[in-house]
Amino acid sequence: MRPTTALLAASAAALLALTACTPEEDNAAPAPAASTSAAKEQPADADSVESSDAEKAAGIPDAPTGADRAAYLAAVKAVDPRIVEDEEKAIDAGRNQCSSLANPNDKSDWLAAQRFGNDTRPLTDAQGKQLNAALRATLCPA
């Protein structure tokens, strides 16, 4: 099974589990606590820089720290300084774009432009190509 298929299947299973409750079950006793192995899969805090197993399978790297973070932000800032006005958003966009670069296609440049741009700051496919080059040099080398 391809990693993206596995990720989709796991997501679908989780959604089904969440929607399987009926109104009569709302009054039932609380569910037992999650097992310790499930707890280990969750990051200790929401700001964790490590990728989950599902993220790693999808080609999403850990969030950069220290000098790696500075190099990444400088590389995408060189394409358009407004991209790094919200550094965390720029990092999230880059990590997600790495997933696209792990399975390249003819829309990779367009996807980068969409991920890093927005309605008030649209980016071109040419800028998307520059962003992909910056990502390959820093956050997600091939």
Side-chain angles (χ1 to χ4, degrees), residues 98-117:
C98 287
S99 177
S100 294
L101 294 176
N103 298 302
N105 62 55
D106 59 345
K107 298 237 183 234
S108 294
D109 296 340
W110 178 82
L111 285 170
Q114 297 304 305
R115 279 201 170 99
F116 285 89

Side-chain angles (χ1 to χ4, degrees), residues 17-141:
L18 289 173
T19 59
C21 296
T22 63
E24 294 83 30
E25 291 174 328
D26 289 342
N27 295 327
S35 71
T36 57
S37 64
K40 289 179 185 175
E41 293 176 16
Q42 299 297 322
D45 62 296
D47 295 329
S48 176
V49 295
E50 291 186 20
S51 300
S52 68
D53 290 341
E55 288 175 326
K56 287 179 184 175
I60 299 174
D62 294 343
T65 58
D68 292 337
R69 177 184 171 104
Y72 165 71
L73 291 172
V76 296
K77 185 178 184 178
V79 175
D80 185 333
R82 297 174 296 169
I83 291 173
V84 297
E85 288 174 353
D86 181 343
E87 290 181 359
E88 294 306 315
K89 185 174 180 181
I91 289 170
D92 287 343
R95 292 178 66 219
N96 287 318
Q97 183 63 14
C98 287
S99 177
S100 294
L101 294 176
N103 298 302
N105 62 55
D106 59 345
K107 298 237 183 234
S108 294
D109 296 340
W110 178 82
L111 285 170
Q114 297 304 305
R115 279 201 170 99
F116 285 89
N118 59 43
D119 291 340
T120 60
R121 183 184 27 86
L123 298 176
T124 65
D125 289 359
Q127 288 172 305
K129 185 174 185 169
Q130 292 173 326
L131 286 164
N132 285 333
L135 287 165
R136 288 189 198 277
T138 58
L139 190 59
C140 46

